[in-house]
């Protein structure tokens, strides 16, 4: 028996080694050397700094916006890029969003849409001193452009305008019609901006071959041991569900609490949700992402991914311990807001938690609501649905649009991994996808793990080299159209 066992172990080891050895990156024809693009880098960098100085902040409704800042930004855009406004048909939509049409040479070719948004999230009051450079100054220092909007998403607005201006200056025009859409309310859902743009295009009977909006980046140093950059072109984004969990109990004075309080019941409900997340798994789109990245990993993790038939549960447990990877595997559960007693010695008759779920494409809004009800609903705990949006459709990573994006990125960056991915946040693409055969989400600019911490946070910044590479990638992409 021991010999049979040893033989089985030896055979298994050979299978693992052979499969690992053959689990290598797929050969990709090396791109030809990209044509030199003579950008005025200093001017591009300075213009992003100027854009950041406009405090185009979207606040959660019913709070309003500072209309003067939004008007000022739109005037600046027109003054800074006069050729775009002179040669493209540019219209304001939904109040402060812009839609520009660049007619192509071939009217029979289906158009594409390139999008970005210029509204930004607030800087947390009192946190300004924690920034290395003031968040609204647009300072250029230490190899970065600093400030709110540098990553999300004025960088893309400026980069697209720079790319189109560069091509116009050289008399170039795309074969197919290109639309540019710059939203003003993406950070609060895009209902007045991107949604209105889509309605206008629908009214014209426009059906897009594909759209490109913000999403992932060209990542460096994201996965330990992976030395090549990774361009994750998101082909889908998660949906969102927000619910309120309301626990009730007898109120009164805190000196005579009942056996179960509303706060205690609410706490147990939240623990039950966190202890029983929705099922996940390395399949579908997340599997496609890791199958593109894992062959570039060191030998041991590569062996685990190459032999998921054997190590699958271990791989999934390890990934579930990493917040960014766990978010790719499943619908996530995040309690975000709590409300109970207004006073220290008052027992509240109700305690309320707001919980946000980011819905994986495999799940539905209705299915997540049923899951929550099964875990928490009862005689003293009820569920109230605030709002819900399903996950997007999954775009085709074998389509011409994806290949054009991949070609443009490789022409700029050379040897790198291009992989389809799942965006765990929400973008205006959930609107654009209504009129696009495929909706992609990708920023063609380099970021590192350290720089990602500034996304909606402190010290938001973008590397100068990454910004300029993004402009050049947009130029190359537009030339392929």
């Amino acid at each position: 028996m021991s010999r049979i066992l040893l033989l089985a172990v030896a055979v298994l080891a050979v299978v693992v080694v052979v499969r690992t050895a053959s689990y290598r990156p797929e050969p990709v024809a090396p791109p030809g050397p990209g044509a030199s693009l003579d950008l005025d880098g200093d001017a591009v960098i300075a213009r992003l700094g100027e854009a950041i100085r406009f405090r185009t902040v979207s606040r959660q409704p019913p709070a309003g916006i500072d209309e003067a800042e939004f008007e000022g930004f739109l005037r600046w855009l027109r003054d800074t890029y006069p050729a775009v406004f002179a040669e493209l048909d540019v219209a304001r939509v939904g109040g402060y969003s812009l839609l520009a049409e660049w007619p192509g040479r071939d009217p029979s070719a289906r158009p594409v849409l390139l999008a970005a948004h210029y509204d930004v999230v607030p800087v947390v009051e009192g946190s300004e001193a924690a920034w290395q450079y003031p968040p609204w100054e647009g300072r250029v220092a230490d190899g970065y452009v600093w400030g709110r909007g540098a990553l999300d998403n004025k960088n893309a607005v400026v980069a697209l305008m720079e790319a189109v201006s560069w091509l116009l200056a050289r008399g170039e025009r795309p074969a197919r019609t290109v639309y540019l859409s710059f939203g003003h309310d993406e950070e609060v859902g895009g209902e007045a901006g991107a949604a209105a743009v889509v309605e206008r295009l629908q009214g014209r009977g426009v059906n897009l071959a594909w759209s490109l909006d913000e999403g992932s980046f060209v990542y460096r140093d994201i996965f330990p041991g992976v030395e090549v950059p990774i361009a994750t072109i998101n082909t889908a984004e998660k949906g969102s569900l927000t619910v309120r969990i309301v626990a009730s109990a007898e109120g009164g004075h805190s000196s005579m609490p009942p056996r179960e309080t509303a706060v205690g019941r609410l706490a147990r409900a939240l623990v039950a949700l966190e202890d029983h997340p929705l099922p996940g798994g390395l399949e579908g789109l997340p599997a496609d992402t890791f199958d593109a990245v894992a062959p570039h990993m060191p030998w041991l993790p590569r062996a685990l991914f190459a032999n998921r038939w054997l190590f699958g549960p271990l791989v999934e447990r390890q990934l579930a311990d990493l917040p960014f990877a766990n978010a790719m595997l499943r619908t996530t559960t995040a309690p975000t807001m709590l409300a109970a007693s207004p006073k220290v010695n008052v027992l509240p008759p109700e305690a309320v938690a707001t919980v946000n779920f980011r819905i994986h494409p495999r799940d539905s809004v209705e299915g997540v609501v049923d899951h929550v009800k099964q875990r928490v609903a009862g005689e003293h705990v009820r569920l109230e649905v605030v709002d819900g949006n399903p996950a997007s459709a999954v775009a085709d990573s074998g389509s011409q649009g994806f290949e054009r994006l991949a070609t443009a990125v490789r022409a700029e960056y050379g040897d790198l991994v291009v992989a389809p991915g799942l965006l765990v946040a929400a973008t205006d693409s959930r609107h654009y996808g209504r009129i696009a055969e495929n909706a992609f989400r990708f920023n063609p600019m380099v970021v590192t793990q350290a720089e990602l911490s500034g996304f909606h946070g402190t010290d938001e910044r973008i590397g100068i080299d990454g910004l300029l590479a993004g402009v050049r990638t947009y130029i190359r992409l537009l030339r392929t159209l």
Side-chain angles (χ1 to χ4, degrees), residues 49-131:
E50 293 170 7
I52 288 170
R53 291 172 199 140
F54 293 93
R55 303 190 185 199
T56 50
V57 177
S58 280
R59 296 180 175 84
Q60 203 63 32
I65 63 171
D66 188 334
E67 296 182 6
E69 294 289 336
F70 283 74
E71 290 286 0
F73 179 82
L74 294 179
R75 283 196 303 272
W76 173 84
L77 210 60
R78 180 179 289 274
D79 293 342
T80 305
Y81 302 102
V84 175
F85 285 82
E87 300 193 41
L88 276 63
D89 180 13
V90 184
R92 284 178 62 156
V93 180
Y96 298 95
S97 291
L98 291 183
L99 174 63
E101 180 181 2
W102 193 4
R105 301 189 306 274
D106 181 2
S108 67
R110 292 172 66 192
V112 301
L113 180 143
L114 308 180
H117 69 89
Y118 70 90
D119 64 317
V120 299
V121 297
V123 173
V124 176
E125 189 173 351
S127 71
E128 293 87 350
W131 288 62

Side-chain angles (χ1 to χ4, degrees), residues 175-216:
R176 68 178 68 218
T177 294
V178 175
Y179 291 99
L180 304 177
S181 179
F182 298 140
H184 75 279
D185 63 339
E186 188 276 342
E187 297 293 358
V188 290
E191 296 296 336
V197 166
V198 168
E199 289 178 7
R200 176 165 296 197
L201 292 177
Q202 281 180 319
R204 298 179 186 174
V206 172
N207 182 256
L208 302 169
W210 49 273
S211 64
L212 176 65
D213 194 11
E214 64 173 331
S216 294

Side-chain angles (χ1 to χ4, degrees), residues 26 28 31 217-220 227-232 292 296 406-419 442 446:
E26 292 186 8
V28 176
F217 295 82
V218 177
Y219 293 122
R220 293 189 192 276
E227 297 180 356
V228 295
I230 301 168
T232 307
H296 298 267
T407 298
V409 172
R410 289 192 176 106
E412 176 60 33
Y413 292 98
D415 184 23
L416 83 172
V417 179
V418 178
F442 175 64
V446 174

Side-chain angles (χ1 to χ4, degrees), residues 75-343:
R75 283 196 303 272
W76 173 84
L77 210 60
R78 180 179 289 274
D79 293 342
T80 305
Y81 302 102
V84 175
F85 285 82
E87 300 193 41
L88 276 63
D89 180 13
V90 184
R92 284 178 62 156
V93 180
Y96 298 95
S97 291
L98 291 183
L99 174 63
E101 180 181 2
W102 193 4
R105 301 189 306 274
D106 181 2
S108 67
R110 292 172 66 192
V112 301
L113 180 143
L114 308 180
H117 69 89
Y118 70 90
D119 64 317
V120 299
V121 297
V123 173
V124 176
E125 189 173 351
S127 71
E128 293 87 350
W131 288 62
Q132 293 189 52
Y133 299 100
W136 303 110
E137 188 176 299
R139 179 83 65 89
V140 178
D142 307 326
Y144 292 96
V145 183
W146 301 75
R148 182 60 86 226
L151 271 180
D152 185 20
N153 183 235
K154 286 179 178 174
N155 56 335
V157 174
V158 169
L160 282 168
M161 293 296 277
E162 294 287 343
V164 173
S165 295
W166 191 93
L167 292 168
L168 288 173
R170 287 153 182 81
E172 297 189 37
R173 178 184 173 194
R176 68 178 68 218
T177 294
V178 175
Y179 291 99
L180 304 177
S181 179
F182 298 140
H184 75 279
D185 63 339
E186 188 276 342
E187 297 293 358
V188 290
E191 296 296 336
V197 166
V198 168
E199 289 178 7
R200 176 165 296 197
L201 292 177
Q202 281 180 319
R204 298 179 186 174
V206 172
N207 182 256
L208 302 169
W210 49 273
S211 64
L212 176 65
D213 194 11
E214 64 173 331
S216 294
F217 295 82
V218 177
Y219 293 122
R220 293 189 192 276
D221 306 323
I222 293 293
F223 291 95
V226 177
E227 297 180 356
V228 295
I230 301 168
T232 307
I233 300 174
N234 299 127
T235 54
E237 68 180 52
K238 282 187 161 185
S240 177
L241 169 69
T242 302
V243 302
R244 278 194 292 263
I245 300 173
V246 184
S248 58
E250 184 180 349
H253 198 284
S254 63
S255 61
M256 296 180 291
R259 183 181 182 90
E260 290 188 337
T261 64
V263 171
R265 286 171 173 162
L266 179 64
R268 282 190 290 275
L270 295 178
V271 169
L273 280 182
E274 292 195 334
D275 285 349
H276 299 88
L278 280 98
L282 188 56
E283 58 193 30
L285 186 50
D288 293 341
T289 303
F290 281 101
D291 278 339
V293 175
H296 298 267
M297 293 179 176
W299 195 91
L300 180 57
R302 193 168 81 245
L304 297 178
F305 279 97
N307 295 278
R308 292 206 297 272
W309 60 276
L310 179 62
F311 301 117
L314 173 62
V315 169
E316 291 185 10
R317 283 197 299 272
Q318 294 296 316
L319 291 176
D321 288 336
L322 303 172
F324 83 93
N326 182 61
M328 293 174 61
L329 300 185
R330 61 170 38 84
T331 294
T332 52
T333 305
T336 56
M337 301 170 68
L338 296 171
S341 175
K343 198 169 184 291

